[in-house]
Amino acid sequence: MLKSVSGLSVPLPALTELQSDYLRQASELWNKSVNFGSSNGEGAKAPIPDRRFAAPEWQSDPASSFAAQLYLLNARTLQKLADAVEGDEKPRQRLRFAVQQWVAAASPANYLATNPEALRKAVATQGESLKEGLAHLVNDLRQGHMSQTDESLFEVGRNVATTEGDVVFENELFQLLEYKPLTAKVHARPLLMVPPCINKYYILDLQPSNSLIRYAVAEGHRVFVVSWRNADASMAHMTWDDYIETGAIQAIELVQEITGAETINTLGFCVGGTILATALSVLARRGVQPAESMTLLTTFLDFENTGVLDLFVDEAMVKMRELTIGPDSPTKGGLLKGQELAGTFSSLRPNDLVWNYVVGNYLKGETPPAFDLLYWNSDSTNLPGPMYCWYLRHTYHENNLVKPGTAVVCGEAVDFGELDLPVYVYGSREDHIVPWDAAYRNLAALSGNQGRTRFVLGASGHIAGVINPPAAKKRSHWIGNGTAKAPATAQAWLEKATEHAGSWWPDWSAWLARNAGPMVAAPKRPGSRQYPPIEAAPGRYVKQKA
């Protein structure tokens, strides 16, 4: 790390220009501050162009106004300075990320003594806001994470994850949920959903109004969902192969056995899509093609462009993980704690996911509003160390899964090009976890399906773009022009795509129906004679806390 940083430098001309610009703008800002409120300082009370300083107190108080504007000037200058640095690309990116974190943390809005809005509220409430803020802080310290919503208002199985169904199978890794039909007839081919194991499945079943699971059931599909177990010490030895063989492959075979269907439709979300595609590739190597179709939602198959997350991954970091919680550790395993992953993802958007709550929860003593998505986001999961280390090395670090025959999983050489089935690929345009152009690269990775891949782009981010029910009439999505051969680049595709208002779900539903077979009578009971119901959905596994 020291060697890479020592190779960075700022060209003297760029440094000189930045210094000159900074002194000029700082002088102008000081002059406006000196004339604050006078006839010569008419522009001093203009709104500050940053929502952190939107409250009237920031404009009405000269010291606060000056502090906020000087902070913004310093932030812009530091970011320009980081952009001007020359050297190797990854150290430059890490430097920019570090500057972003420091700039976000240094805002005067984040500290009671320099936040006039919080100070005014403390005076107006006679200190009650500070008392409430301290209570929120103590509660968050006790629960081990910062509250992003009022978690007391939600309970899994009561007002989130409420679609009616049953657990029809369980092993040490997952429970298989089958949902009760909402239609008299269902498609002959069932649908299996594989959610990410780094979060809990109920992002797909938050509430009836925004549940993708309930939507699929209402569209006439017999739906099964994998509910991953929250890893504990008994799972610390589990590997990527376990998640493929004992997880996704076993779930696929169970759905076939329970329903009697020769082939099934499949869906994977985020890393669940990576697991699903890997499992189907392993089965293809074994001469088995159990999937009639595959849907990939904000999924990496090709990890060439992983966006900001690439900053955290290099050989030293991967090796450190392998030596501490991976197969090379003294205990041959360990756990990656869920809060560590949650903290990493929050750092990608520090103002929105960290400091916003510091100010609201602690300085102002406000209880964050109820929001089901943020409740799910706080319900973190642990991962087995060996599984995580394999995934880290072979995807983010070495990108082996997309190289035919390079990655060996469950004794088989993975080759996504052997998957010959229709595929629906969805990406979110503002996704900071799976950049949409990276999702588009899945089309090239799935070259063996003879052009039967449909790519759809949704507005918004990694989660909000996916969980966008039609009834909400929000956002939009883009669909390609229907040519058999997809353009080589994501940007070329977008230039020819057509934007449509509202949710992408109906487009996916129509595509899925074409692969789901004829309508048959809906089953009267869940499971089968060999796999009777164990307990009602959502089951025990999803309720386990990290």
Side-chain angles (χ1 to χ4, degrees):
M1 184 178 293
L2 289 173
K3 183 179 178 181
S4 64
V5 171
S6 65
L8 301 177
S9 62
V10 180
L12 185 58
L15 183 60
T16 302
E17 183 179 355
L18 280 170
Q19 289 175 330
S20 176
D21 287 347
Y22 179 81
L23 290 173
R24 177 181 54 81
Q25 293 180 67
S27 297
E28 292 174 357
L29 181 58
W30 174 253
N31 291 333
K32 285 184 179 180
S33 178
V34 169
N35 295 319
F36 190 93
S38 70
S39 58
N40 295 327
E42 294 177 357
K45 292 186 179 181
I48 302 171
D50 190 297
R51 65 179 181 178
R52 289 172 291 180
F53 312 114
E57 289 83 357
W58 289 100
Q59 277 83 41
S60 60
D61 177 63
S64 298
S65 177
F66 178 74
Q69 295 184 73
L70 182 62
Y71 159 76
L72 292 175
L73 172 59
N74 290 338
R76 290 193 301 270
T77 303
L78 281 172
Q79 288 164 347
K80 288 178 182 178
L81 186 61
D83 290 339
V85 167
E86 293 182 348
D88 293 340
E89 184 57 27
K90 181 163 278 193
R92 291 180 67 242
Q93 291 177 350
R94 285 176 172 166
L95 178 63
R96 286 196 292 266
F97 181 80
V99 168
Q100 177 197 13
Q101 299 303 308
W102 189 90
V103 164
S107 167
N110 299 338
Y111 305 95
L112 181 64
T114 53
N115 187 321
E117 187 181 4
L119 288 171
R120 181 200 59 78
K121 187 170 185 180
V123 172
T125 61
Q126 296 182 330
E128 281 298 314
S129 63
L130 299 181
K131 178 182 174 182
E132 288 296 318
L134 183 60
H136 291 324
L137 177 60
V138 170
N139 179 70
D140 288 354
L141 290 172
R142 185 181 296 116
Q143 69 183 8
H145 65 267
M146 184 183 297
S147 296
Q148 297 179 331
T149 186
D150 188 350
E151 298 181 21
S152 66
L153 299 179
F154 295 99
E155 181 183 346
V156 175
R158 180 176 63 84
N159 55 2
V160 291
T162 59
T163 300
E164 190 175 356
D166 294 271
V167 176
V168 294
F169 172 85
E170 66 181 42
N171 61 20
E172 60 179 345
L173 190 55
F174 75 97
Q175 289 186 319
L176 184 66
L177 312 181
E178 180 181 0
Y179 288 91
K180 182 178 180 180
L182 295 173
T183 54
K185 291 189 174 183
V186 296
H187 287 281
R189 290 192 190 97
L191 170 64
L192 171 65
M193 295 185 177
V194 182
C197 52
I198 62 173
N199 290 105
K200 295 183 176 178
Y201 87 86
Y202 65 90
I203 186 59
L204 299 171
D205 187 33
L206 290 172
Q207 298 189 60
S209 61
N210 60 359
S211 168
L212 182 60
I213 289 173
R214 184 179 178 85
Y215 177 81
V217 174
E219 291 288 290
H221 296 281
R222 189 175 180 183
V223 178
F224 294 80
V225 174
V226 170
S227 174
W228 299 106
R229 184 178 169 194
N230 198 340
D232 57 20
S234 69
M235 300 173 61
H237 63 284
M238 285 193 161
T239 65
W240 180 260
D241 281 12
D242 291 323
Y243 273 74
I244 301 303
E245 190 78 69
T246 314
I249 289 178
Q250 187 162 8
I252 290 168
E253 294 172 346
L254 283 165
V255 172
Q256 288 179 289
E257 192 171 348
I258 290 171
T259 64
E262 184 176 346
T263 59
I264 68 174
N265 291 307
T266 59
L267 178 149
F269 185 8
C270 189
V271 69
T274 312
I275 290 172
L276 172 63
T278 303
L280 292 177
S281 178
V282 169
L283 290 173
R285 275 280 166 163
R286 296 174 180 173
V288 182
Q289 297 275 2
E292 188 72 21
S293 74
M294 177 172 65
T295 298
L296 299 176
L297 307 180
T298 59
T299 292
F300 278 126
L301 298 183
D302 184 339
F303 287 73
E304 179 68 26
N305 170 28
T306 57
V308 181
L309 289 175
D310 182 60
L311 301 178
F312 299 93
V313 183
D314 59 16
E315 178 61 28
M317 180 268 194
V318 174
K319 195 65 181 174
M320 181 271 291
R321 291 296 192 184
E322 291 171 341
L323 290 170
T324 53
I325 61 172
D328 299 331
S329 65
T331 59
K332 306 299 181 186
L335 290 178
L336 177 73
K337 298 296 185 179
Q339 282 308 310
E340 186 175 348
L341 278 175
T344 299
F345 289 126
S346 292
S347 71
L348 302 182
R349 295 167 55 198
N351 285 327
D352 294 332
L353 297 179
V354 179
W355 296 108
N356 174 53
Y357 297 104
V358 168
V359 174
N361 296 5
Y362 310 148
L363 302 191
K364 299 180 184 177
E366 298 170 347
T367 300
F371 191 9
D372 52 6
L373 194 153
L374 289 178
Y375 173 78
W376 165 85
N377 190 57
S378 299
D379 194 3
S380 59
T381 59
N382 303 324
L383 288 179
M387 173 269 185
Y388 172 72
C389 289
W390 193 99
Y391 175 65
L392 198 61
R393 175 170 291 282
H394 291 278
T395 60
Y396 279 91
H397 186 41
E398 298 179 359
N399 195 22
N400 288 332
L401 278 178
V402 80
K403 302 170 185 174
T406 301
V408 176
V409 179
C410 302
E412 307 291 347
V414 173
D415 184 356
F416 292 138
E418 294 180 345
L419 298 180
D420 184 13
L421 76 172
V423 183
Y424 191 102
V425 177
Y426 168 86
S428 287
R429 193 168 186 179
E430 286 84 40
D431 195 337
H432 61 291
I433 296 175
V434 181
W436 82 269
D437 55 340
Y440 186 81
R441 292 175 70 92
N442 292 344
L443 276 65
L446 298 165
S447 57
N449 72 346
Q450 302 173 3
R452 291 183 292 160
T453 302
R454 184 174 182 81
F455 182 80
V456 172
L457 177 65
S460 196
H462 189 70
I463 300 300
V466 173
I467 308 305
N468 183 26
K473 297 181 180 180
K474 289 184 177 180
R475 308 183 184 94
S476 62
H477 61 281
W478 289 261
I479 298 175
N481 61 5
T483 57
K485 186 178 172 87
T489 67
Q491 192 57 43
W493 177 90
L494 184 59
E495 289 172 359
K496 295 182 179 180
T498 302
E499 185 176 6
H500 301 265
S503 171
W504 58 273
W505 290 10
D507 179 78
W508 170 71
S509 180
W511 175 89
L512 186 64
R514 294 194 292 270
N515 297 289
M519 304 299 289
V520 298
K524 292 182 171 56
R525 290 177 297 277
S528 64
R529 181 172 297 179
Q530 185 176 355
Y531 299 103
I534 297 172
E535 61 180 330
R540 303 185 315 282
Y541 284 10
V542 75
K543 296 180 180 180
Q544 293 173 338
K545 295 294 183 179

